[in-house]
Amino acid sequence: FPAMERIFDTKQWRIIVMTKSACPIVDEPIFYPRIGREYTECAHWRDAALDRISEIAPASVILGSTQTYEYSSSQWRDGTDRVLRKIAPAVGTISLIKGTPMLPFNGPDCIAPRGWLWNVLAKFNCMSRAKDTQSDTVAKALQEAASHYPNVKVVDMTAAICPNGICSAMHDGMPTYRDNRHLSARFVSSLAPDLAKAMHP
């Protein structure tokens, strides 16, 4: 949202945010370990959200969720296709944001001050490669689903989040992650120019 707020001037645009925790924007059943059963509330919410989007008929829709859900490649593709089929005819453009690269450690914990030696080492130790087979598989499935719709594109922000393929807990003195998978608000805001260019070249 901090990036969207910069991209879409709120004096000219109305930004409507629809989110539900642990609820992928994929039209497939999802088992939620925290509640120990199928997350039916997610499906109900998603259907209602898609109906609302079609009703509003916005100029631009941005969709995203993590890539860690245990769906097969065909489930990612077909489940995403069913979502797009419901809203693509009613909206202007749709940007499918590829999931954020994950760190194998907690970002803030890694860069927390622990003395001069740790602070020096943290600059090198609090990094990991962005390459992720699961992420690439999901991105390919999203691309296949998007290819059926002229107003849909997949947006991959990996190069901006992890320059040169390296993800770091700190970038230009700024914490990049607020855990191991969610980006910090300040860092997200700094990505606005790259995100705007990726969505609308």
Side-chain angles (χ1 to χ4, degrees):
F1 183 76
M4 300 304 169
E5 200 173 26
R6 287 185 60 195
I7 294 169
F8 297 98
D9 183 346
T10 52
K11 293 179 181 177
Q12 302 177 45
W13 290 82
R14 180 165 64 120
I15 302 174
I16 301 171
V17 181
M18 300 180 186
T19 65
K20 186 167 181 62
S21 180
C23 184
I25 192 70
V26 180
D27 188 4
E28 291 282 349
I30 182 72
F31 179 84
Y32 191 15
R34 184 173 291 181
I35 60 176
R37 59 171 171 81
E38 184 180 328
Y39 194 10
T40 53
E41 295 88 346
C42 172
H44 295 317
W45 175 87
R46 184 176 54 242
D47 289 343
L50 295 175
D51 287 344
R52 180 71 176 131
I53 290 170
S54 295
E55 180 184 316
I56 297 170
S60 184
V61 173
I62 297 97
L63 303 177
S65 59
T66 184
Q67 65 272 29
T68 56
Y69 296 102
E70 294 182 1
Y71 291 135
S72 67
S73 180
S74 61
Q75 284 178 307
W76 277 106
R77 182 192 63 230
D78 298 343
T80 300
D81 181 70
R82 285 190 288 273
V83 165
L84 296 175
R85 199 181 310 157
K86 291 178 181 178
I87 61 173
V91 307
T93 62
I94 300 176
S95 298
L96 283 175
I97 309 291
K98 181 184 176 186
T100 301
M102 292 174 58
L103 297 175
F105 51 83
N106 182 289
D109 284 352
C110 192
I111 60 175
R114 294 186 180 88
W116 72 270
L117 181 57
W118 177 267
N119 295 343
V120 170
L121 294 176
K123 294 179 181 179
F124 307 98
N125 291 344
C126 299
M127 298 179 177
S128 69
R129 294 200 171 275
K131 195 69 177 170
D132 180 344
T133 303
Q134 169 71 4
S135 178
D136 291 343
T137 298
V138 173
K140 182 180 178 184
L142 296 180
Q143 195 67 58
E144 289 173 356
S147 67
H148 302 137
Y149 306 89
N151 60 335
V152 180
K153 70 177 299 186
V154 176
V155 175
D156 185 352
M157 291 294 293
T158 303
I161 297 168
C162 305
N164 302 312
I166 301 296
C167 304
S168 175
M170 182 82 77
H171 182 72
D172 291 338
M174 182 192 320
T176 53
Y177 286 76
R178 55 187 176 89
D179 49 27
N180 73 320
R181 64 180 65 197
H182 298 99
L183 299 175
S184 71
R186 185 177 165 206
F187 181 58
V188 166
S189 181
S190 76
L191 297 175
D194 292 305
L195 181 57
K197 185 177 180 181
M199 290 196 301
H200 306 291

